[in-house]
Amino acid sequence: MGLVRCLAAAFLLLLLLPGLSTGQRVVTVQKGPLYRVKGSHITLWCKVSGYQGPAEQNFQWSIYLPSAPEREVQIVSTIDPSFPYAIYTQRVRSRGIYVERVQGDAVLLHITELQDRDAGEYECHTPNTDERYFGSYSAKMNLSVITDTLSASMATQVLTRDEGEAVELTCEVSKSTTQHTHLSVGWYRLQGAEETQAEEVLTLSKDFILRPGPSYTQRFLAGDVRLSKVGNTTYKLTIGGVKLSDQGQLYCEAAEWIEDPDEMWKDISRKQTKMTSLVVTSQDKGLSVDITAAKTSLSEGDTLQLHCMVGAQKSSSRHFKVLWLLNGVEVARVDPYGVLIWEKEYEERAQLGQLQAFKQSNTVYVLTVYEVGLKDNGTYRCSVSEVKTTGDFHSTQTNLSSGIQVNVKPIERRMHLSVSTSTPQVMAGDALILLCEVQGATSPVSVRWWHLPPQHPGPRVLVATMEQDGTLSLGSAYQDSRTRGSLRLEKASSSTFTLVIPNTLDEGDGGRYGCKATEWSRGQSWTEEGETTVTVISMGLSLHATLKSRIASVRYGQSVELVCQAGANYTFEEVPVSVRWLFQPNPPTGHYQELVQVFPSGTVAWKAAQPHFQEKAQLTKAAFSFRLRILSAAAADEGTYLCEVEVWRRNSQPLGQPAATTKSNAVGIKVVLPESKLQVATKESSVEIASGADTAIECNIVFAPNNSQFTITWYVLPPSPADANPLQIIRANYSSILEYGAEFSSPAQKSRFLSQRVSSNVFWLRILSANPGDQGRYYCVVEEWLWLVDSWYKLGEGASGRTTLEFKLPEHELQLDKTNSSISTREGEEVMLRCLLQGARLPATRLSATWFRQDKSGHIRPLLTLHHDGSIKYLQEVLARRLHLRRPTAGDFSLTLHSVEEGDAGVYQCQVQEWQQQSEGQDWALHAWARSGYTQLTTIPPESTVLSRICSSPPLLNFILYLPLVLILLSALAVFCWCFKFRKSKKGNVTDNQMMELQGFGKENLAGL
């Protein structure tokens, strides 16, 4: 029973193996719907499995917007850069939207800043790489964009606590999201202003679990660090018994969480509050700090000097670190070595010499602010921390001085500024003049001009600057005088500054121009700013060109004139103008070819595409029109013409790219060639000859001009079928180059059909050794050709009348078997076609024979000829190797066809001729002839064998190949199962025998006792 089960399991495993080897493609996308807030960075994953082909699959993302749920809008692709639609192209190029490949068959779609219009149904599609379509190739999910309603706020303050005192911080957190979301609220601490890694104090997680930071775990468990919710939106952090290590910058962070359909929680928004400074003072009374100022009420531009004095016993052997604070925010610090470090916002003023801080002694520290401003208003303090050693960053005790209030009064200013332009609207290339008037300034003024192009929001571009001392400097985009000319920034009067841009480029030079004036006094500065708008009109907006011609069709040798009329809302006398003439031959050869260009200076540059134009074309210019006159038009001049007009800006050299370009409409010119006067004789005629004789077919040209050349093509119409197409025999062109038709291209046919020019207007087709297979109606087609300027041109053609070629049959007829028969032969075998001469023939005669075949189209073609001298000529070269003429007897002309093919099917017939020599030394003459009956040959496809059937069926072939392997595997499994069962059975027998021996041994011992 176990063996049967084992075999059944093995058989089922083999049945399942083919199914396991192939799978179907499955595309999986992140489960939706998802809710994400506007402005956030989101990712959507997509992966594919069960595919065939390369390990690295490609992905394409699309969206179906709620406004058009049936319309696919393409976003981004890993294979096609042109895949995105226009509304997403810019975001994809700037990597606002991109695809990150996690592995070969999995990707993440990133949208760095989510917008309202990104809401919709997303589809992830994988292009097919499988041998056949099987499975799913795309998957969809929904994404909703919601408003970010999360807010978090905490009052900015400086808190000073002694060691051991308690501190409380409150954070207002609220949200109004309609979806079900959770909040998490936590407090974090930064050790100093330069720290970037915040330390977690205590967090209320989204699951309403309190989680302390590593440094606060023990104090949280002891109840010294607590977080409580005291209202709908208010959260309070309490730290009981603060330590020196709690000192630093504290802030609150809130996060809003939503549960996705995959049951994973995702933070969709995070907000941080402003910082609150916590200063913890040591209870050690051995350190006192005091701050003094020489003067606390100042005016702008005055100097402020502060002293921080440290009181401590044995101060010379102690190490202090001093921080200067303004309104609770660090300004600078001095370490025990006296090294000064400024905060970033004060570095520039310190470098300009406006700020100074230094260590006067180990207990006296000085901060000086030169030329104070309104931003220096506030409360100043100094914080002193004692460290054990000069290299130790951790303080043993810290003390904060009392605050000293400094008031800075503003200096009254009366400066006013206005910006205007005398050129509010100019044409590209014209000068732009801008005026900046500064009134009420009593001190030197610096002026800064800037430009903001139209419809290009972004940073303003610096144009030029004039410093207080008159020093001029240009912005990087205006330094090259070759583009806009030499910019001028002048001080026209004590209060007027003029900016002149001599040569505007294009519409981009329009937009908003601004003037920023700065007045300097006693180290202080006052700034006023104004702007004006100008418009620069592109030269291409009104530029247009029209091409005209009085005649569209011109006779060969006549002249034709093309007029290119250009127009614009400015005069061409004021701007450099260039014109190009373009040409497309007929028939078209591709792109337009450039014929010639006339530059603004009048220089003419002919191009190499059509060199013959240079010798026969005239170019003129008058005001707004440009003319191209073509003398003695030839066939090569026929085609389509265009003109292209280019203009440059005023007062600029026509170098580089033009300011505007326009193309005219296309005008077609047709050149009519001379009329053909060719006349060919059309009279019908017939020629009767004996078989084997030579003959000639005549083609007569009745009239043609003396300077014409002719191409003669000979055709023959076979006698059957009635609707047979003419067959080309030979073509002799005007250069006497011969070209044979497909049916007459064999060497045997070429040697018998010759084209001959007998006189200037008479041509012959000579047929040598004509045979009955040459019967038919012959005619010629004459083409008239004429050399015109640069090439040969065909003027016309004419066909001659038909000449019927017939054969004069001898009076005597041989007795030939005329029985019609039908033969069916399998392809690949051989067949014999019988042709038997019956009865006796005259003595001293010779026999010749020709075999013919009529194919399915009705054409009769000779296959081979046995001449009366015994030589054989094969008229179909492709059949020469497979044809064999058997002559077991003198009257047997049977034909054997080897390796029959499908194309050999048709009707076969032989013709036998008897030749007799009238006297010795004379030619042999035809004495008698006869044609046999018809033999219909039908071909049968080869018979299929067992081996061919197996090879033509892949499933059957695989079954036969793999069947022995399956049987061997089944046999091996059966042997394995049998061996396993046999071992188990043998082990059981051994155990039973051992038990029996032990029982016998026990009985013997009992008997002995």
Side-chain angles (χ1 to χ4, degrees):
M1 192 67 182
L3 178 60
V4 174
R5 289 181 179 174
C6 197
L7 290 173
F11 185 72
L12 286 173
L13 180 62
L14 290 171
L15 288 176
L16 290 173
L17 281 175
L20 294 173
S21 62
T22 59
Q24 66 178 18
R25 176 183 287 253
V26 177
V27 176
T28 308
V29 74
Q30 188 167 347
K31 192 175 181 181
L34 297 182
Y35 296 91
R36 297 293 185 266
V37 299
K38 179 181 177 182
S40 63
H41 182 151
I42 74 159
T43 60
L44 302 176
W45 60 259
C46 179
K47 61 183 178 181
V48 61
S49 61
Y51 57 87
Q52 298 178 359
E56 184 170 289
Q57 295 286 296
N58 283 301
F59 295 81
Q60 295 175 337
W61 285 90
S62 303
I63 187 174
Y64 296 84
L65 299 174
S67 58
E70 302 299 326
R71 179 172 175 264
E72 178 187 6
V73 180
Q74 298 174 177
I75 301 176
V76 67
S77 169
T78 60
I79 188 175
D80 185 6
S82 64
F83 181 79
Y85 278 9
I87 62 173
Y88 287 101
T89 301
Q90 183 59 36
R91 294 174 69 186
V92 172
R93 286 179 180 171
S94 63
R95 287 189 66 80
I97 297 177
Y98 64 94
V99 177
E100 174 190 1
R101 187 177 292 280
V102 180
Q103 56 188 41
D105 53 8
V107 297
L108 284 176
L109 172 66
H110 287 260
I111 303 178
T112 58
E113 187 174 352
L114 197 61
Q115 302 177 8
D116 288 329
R117 62 177 178 174
D118 295 330
E121 184 179 34
Y122 284 75
E123 180 181 37
C124 175
H125 173 74
T126 59
N128 183 32
T129 59
D130 309 330
E131 295 180 356
R132 60 191 179 95
Y133 280 91
F134 186 46
S136 65
Y137 290 81
S138 65
K140 296 182 179 179
M141 61 81 64
N142 278 299
L143 173 66
S144 296
V145 180
I146 60 179
T147 304
D148 186 1
T149 62
L150 179 65
S151 67
S153 62
M154 185 174 67
T156 302
Q157 54 188 327
V158 178
L159 299 177
T160 304
R161 295 289 185 272
D162 291 331
E163 260 186 299
E165 290 183 349
V167 65
E168 291 183 351
L169 299 173
T170 58
C171 182
E172 294 289 333
V173 179
S174 64
K175 67 179 180 68
S176 58
T177 309
T178 56
Q179 285 72 29
H180 175 70
T181 58
H182 287 187
L183 288 176
S184 64
V185 181
W187 268 267
Y188 298 85
R189 184 180 68 87
L190 288 171
Q191 179 70 30
E194 297 180 356
E195 289 286 338
T196 58
Q197 187 66 34
E199 180 185 15
E200 182 181 9
V201 179
L202 185 59
T203 299
L204 176 62
S205 72
K206 65 180 184 301
D207 303 318
F208 313 109
I209 299 173
L210 289 172
R211 184 180 64 244
S215 301
Y216 291 86
T217 302
Q218 294 299 325
R219 297 167 68 185
F220 168 74
L221 296 175
D224 289 337
V225 178
R226 302 183 302 277
L227 190 153
S228 56
K229 187 175 182 182
V230 296
N232 291 333
T233 61
T234 306
Y235 297 81
K236 182 171 68 174
L237 172 69
T238 302
I239 303 177
V242 295
K243 298 181 179 181
L244 291 175
S245 59
D246 295 328
Q247 183 168 277
Q249 303 287 325
L250 295 171
Y251 67 90
C252 169
E253 180 180 271
E256 186 174 7
W257 299 76
I258 192 168
E259 187 177 18
D260 288 342
D262 59 3
E263 299 183 355
M264 297 293 290
W265 285 88
K266 170 65 179 175
D267 55 325
I268 59 174
S269 178
R270 283 185 177 271
K271 296 293 172 64
Q272 287 185 3
T273 66
K274 295 181 179 179
M275 301 286 184
T276 288
S277 297
L278 176 61
V279 178
V280 181
T281 57
S282 173
Q283 290 300 304
D284 186 355
K285 301 300 180 179
L287 181 64
S288 63
V289 181
D290 192 18
I291 185 169
T292 61
K295 188 178 180 181
T296 58
S297 182
L298 306 168
S299 296
E300 286 183 282
D302 291 343
T303 299
L304 170 66
Q305 189 172 68
L306 300 169
H307 290 79
C308 181
M309 291 166 287
V310 180
Q313 294 182 355
K314 300 181 180 179
S315 59
S316 59
S317 62
R318 299 168 72 174
H319 307 285
F320 303 109
K321 179 174 66 176
V322 177
L323 274 66
W324 288 100
L325 305 173
L326 172 58
N327 296 325
V329 179
E330 182 178 339
V331 175
R333 65 174 60 191
V334 180
D335 70 5
Y337 288 107
V339 176
L340 174 64
I341 301 174
W342 293 100
E343 282 298 297
K344 283 188 177 180
E345 59 182 297
Y346 294 95
E347 285 181 351
E348 184 178 357
R349 295 179 65 186
Q351 291 173 0
L352 295 174
Q354 297 176 5
L355 297 176
Q356 185 183 28
F358 60 93
K359 179 180 178 179
Q360 184 171 318
S361 67
N362 202 33
T363 59
V364 178
Y365 298 83
V366 181
L367 171 64
T368 304
V369 181
Y370 300 100
E371 299 177 352
V372 295
L374 296 179
K375 57 191 171 185
D376 297 320
N377 265 319
T379 302
Y380 287 82
R381 286 185 173 90
C382 65
S383 173
V384 179
S385 299
E386 183 178 5
V387 296
K388 292 182 179 179
T389 60
T390 54
D392 190 1
F393 294 101
H394 298 286
S395 59
T396 59
Q397 59 176 324
T398 300
N399 203 351
L400 183 68
S401 72
S402 59
I404 186 169
Q405 182 67 35
V406 174
N407 297 315
V408 180
K409 298 177 182 179
I411 297 178
E412 186 178 355
R413 50 181 179 173
R414 297 178 181 177
M415 184 175 67
H416 301 284
L417 179 146
S418 63
V419 180
S420 61
T421 176
S422 60
T423 54
Q425 181 172 307
V426 297
M427 183 71 63
D430 291 346
L432 197 61
I433 302 173
L434 301 164
L435 301 175
C436 181
E437 294 189 23
V438 182
Q439 302 290 339
T442 58
S443 301
V445 175
S446 65
V447 176
R448 183 184 183 94
W449 286 93
W450 54 263
H451 173 224
L452 187 63
Q455 300 178 352
H456 290 286
R460 300 185 294 189
V461 180
L462 176 64
V463 179
T465 300
M466 176 182 284
E467 300 297 342
Q468 299 164 265
D469 58 358
T471 304
L472 299 178
S473 62
L474 299 179
S476 58
Y478 295 84
Q479 292 178 357
D480 189 355
S481 60
R482 294 174 297 178
T483 56
R484 295 178 178 85
S486 299
L487 266 72
R488 300 196 306 273
L489 177 54
E490 302 170 345
K491 189 173 181 180
S493 64
S494 59
S495 60
T496 304
F497 298 85
T498 304
L499 173 66
V500 180
I501 301 176
N503 187 6
T504 52
L505 293 179
D506 48 29
E507 302 102 315
D509 279 349
R512 293 157 51 194
Y513 283 84
C515 172
K516 181 179 180 181
T518 303
E519 181 184 4
W520 299 85
S521 175
R522 299 180 63 188
Q524 299 299 304
S525 63
W526 296 269
T527 300
E528 287 290 334
E529 194 169 356
E531 63 181 57
T532 187
T533 302
V534 298
T535 302
V536 178
I537 303 174
S538 171
M539 300 185 71
L541 287 179
S542 60
L543 181 65
H544 62 276
T546 305
L547 184 61
K548 298 179 181 179
S549 176
R550 292 183 178 178
I551 53 175
S553 180
V554 60
R555 290 188 176 276
Y556 174 81
Q558 292 183 340
S559 298
V560 61
E561 187 176 63
L562 296 165
V563 180
C564 180
Q565 192 79 24
N569 56 7
Y570 46 87
T571 57
F572 288 133
E573 285 80 1
E574 300 176 0
V575 298
V577 183
S578 166
V579 64
R580 299 174 190 265
W581 289 95
L582 307 174
F583 174 63
Q584 172 83 284
N586 186 26
T589 58
H591 299 293
Y592 276 85
Q593 302 172 0
E594 186 176 350
L595 298 179
V596 63
Q597 181 176 6
V598 182
F599 291 96
S601 61
T603 304
V604 178
W606 291 94
K607 308 301 178 180
Q610 298 285 340
H612 69 277
F613 275 98
Q614 185 173 357
E615 302 172 357
K616 56 191 298 186
Q618 295 178 348
L619 299 166
T620 58
K621 175 187 175 183
F624 303 100
S625 64
F626 305 87
R627 297 174 183 267
L628 171 64
R629 182 178 179 84
I630 303 173
L631 307 175
S632 300
D637 304 328
E638 182 175 319
T640 306
Y641 291 80
L642 281 178
C643 68
E644 182 179 82
V645 178
E646 299 174 338
V647 295
W648 281 262
R649 297 184 304 278
R650 290 186 179 94
N651 307 318
S652 67
Q653 295 297 325
L655 301 173
Q657 293 295 324
T661 301
T662 186
K663 284 186 179 180
S664 72
N665 56 294
V667 172
I669 298 297
K670 180 175 179 57
V671 178
V672 181
L673 298 177
E675 184 178 355
S676 174
K677 299 180 180 179
L678 174 69
Q679 297 180 17
V680 182
T682 57
K683 184 179 180 181
E684 304 282 337
S685 62
S686 64
V687 176
E688 185 180 48
I689 63 171
S691 179
D694 298 341
T695 187
I697 310 297
E698 185 175 276
C699 178
N700 187 15
I701 299 175
V702 178
F703 179 79
N706 294 332
N707 57 347
S708 297
Q709 297 294 327
F710 307 106
T711 293
I712 309 297
T713 306
W714 290 95
Y715 295 91
V716 61
L717 283 166
S720 63
D723 58 347
N725 294 324
L727 303 177
Q728 179 183 327
I729 303 171
I730 188 173
R731 173 185 174 89
N733 69 2
Y734 50 78
S735 300
S736 300
I737 297 175
L738 301 181
E739 178 185 346
Y740 283 85
E743 303 292 335
F744 296 85
S745 58
S746 65
Q749 297 289 71
K750 288 182 178 180
S751 64
R752 293 199 310 113
F753 291 88
L754 306 174
S755 179
Q756 181 179 357
R757 185 169 188 171
V758 181
S759 66
S760 60
N761 292 339
V762 178
F763 297 84
W764 281 1
L765 173 67
R766 296 184 59 84
I767 305 175
L768 306 180
S769 302
N771 58 61
D774 298 331
Q775 291 184 106
R777 291 180 296 163
Y778 290 78
Y779 66 96
C780 69
V781 173
V782 181
E783 300 173 5
E784 182 183 7
W785 291 79
L786 187 65
W787 177 265
L788 299 176
V789 182
D790 58 347
S791 182
W792 287 96
Y793 293 91
K794 178 181 174 181
L795 301 184
E797 68 175 37
S800 70
R802 271 58 170 172
T803 299
T804 303
L805 178 62
E806 298 176 344
F807 281 83
K808 186 188 300 180
L809 301 178
E811 300 177 356
H812 302 284
E813 185 173 356
L814 297 175
Q815 296 182 8
L816 201 62
D817 185 7
K818 296 184 177 294
T819 304
N820 295 330
S821 61
S822 179
I823 301 176
S824 297
T825 305
R826 196 172 299 280
E827 294 177 19
E829 299 180 355
E830 67 177 37
V831 63
M832 185 171 68
L833 307 173
R834 297 193 174 278
C835 180
L836 300 175
L837 184 64
Q838 298 174 349
R841 61 185 177 88
L842 296 174
T845 61
R846 294 182 180 180
L847 298 175
S848 66
T850 301
W851 275 94
F852 300 89
R853 183 185 71 188
Q854 181 178 357
D855 55 23
K856 295 179 181 178
S857 61
H859 293 144
I860 300 176
R861 295 180 176 83
L863 301 178
L864 61 79
T865 298
L866 171 66
H867 295 286
H868 58 74
D869 59 359
S871 61
I872 297 177
K873 177 177 286 188
Y874 294 92
L875 304 178
Q876 299 289 334
E877 296 293 335
V878 295
L879 296 174
R881 295 184 179 180
R882 297 195 293 117
L883 296 177
H884 182 215
L885 189 65
R886 300 184 56 181
R887 294 198 66 190
T889 62
D892 190 349
F893 297 93
S894 298
L895 177 66
T896 301
L897 179 60
H898 298 281
S899 301
V900 173
E901 299 176 358
E902 182 181 0
D904 296 334
V907 178
Y908 291 77
Q909 185 183 32
C910 75
Q911 176 178 292
V912 179
Q913 299 169 325
E914 184 179 56
W915 302 79
Q916 188 175 26
Q917 193 175 26
Q918 301 297 329
S919 61
E920 189 173 354
Q922 293 185 352
D923 292 337
W924 291 82
L926 182 64
H927 180 259
W929 73 283
R931 285 189 176 179
S932 68
Y934 295 103
T935 300
Q936 177 71 48
L937 176 62
T938 304
T939 60
I940 303 172
E943 183 179 0
S944 61
T945 63
V946 174
L947 184 59
S948 65
R949 290 180 181 176
I950 292 174
C951 293
S952 63
S953 175
L956 183 58
L957 179 62
N958 290 334
F959 175 77
I960 293 175
L961 290 175
Y962 289 110
L963 181 61
L965 181 62
V966 172
L967 293 176
I968 292 172
L969 186 57
L970 285 173
S971 300
L973 286 173
V975 171
F976 174 76
C977 290
W978 181 82
C979 290
F980 179 75
K981 188 173 181 181
F982 177 76
R983 281 188 174 183
K984 190 173 181 182
S985 175
K986 185 176 180 182
K987 184 176 181 182
N989 292 337
V990 171
T991 305
D992 292 342
N993 293 334
Q994 290 175 349
M995 290 296 295
M996 291 174 65
E997 290 177 0
L998 289 172
Q999 290 174 1
F1001 178 75
K1003 290 179 180 180
E1004 290 178 1
N1005 290 337
L1006 289 173
L1009 293 173

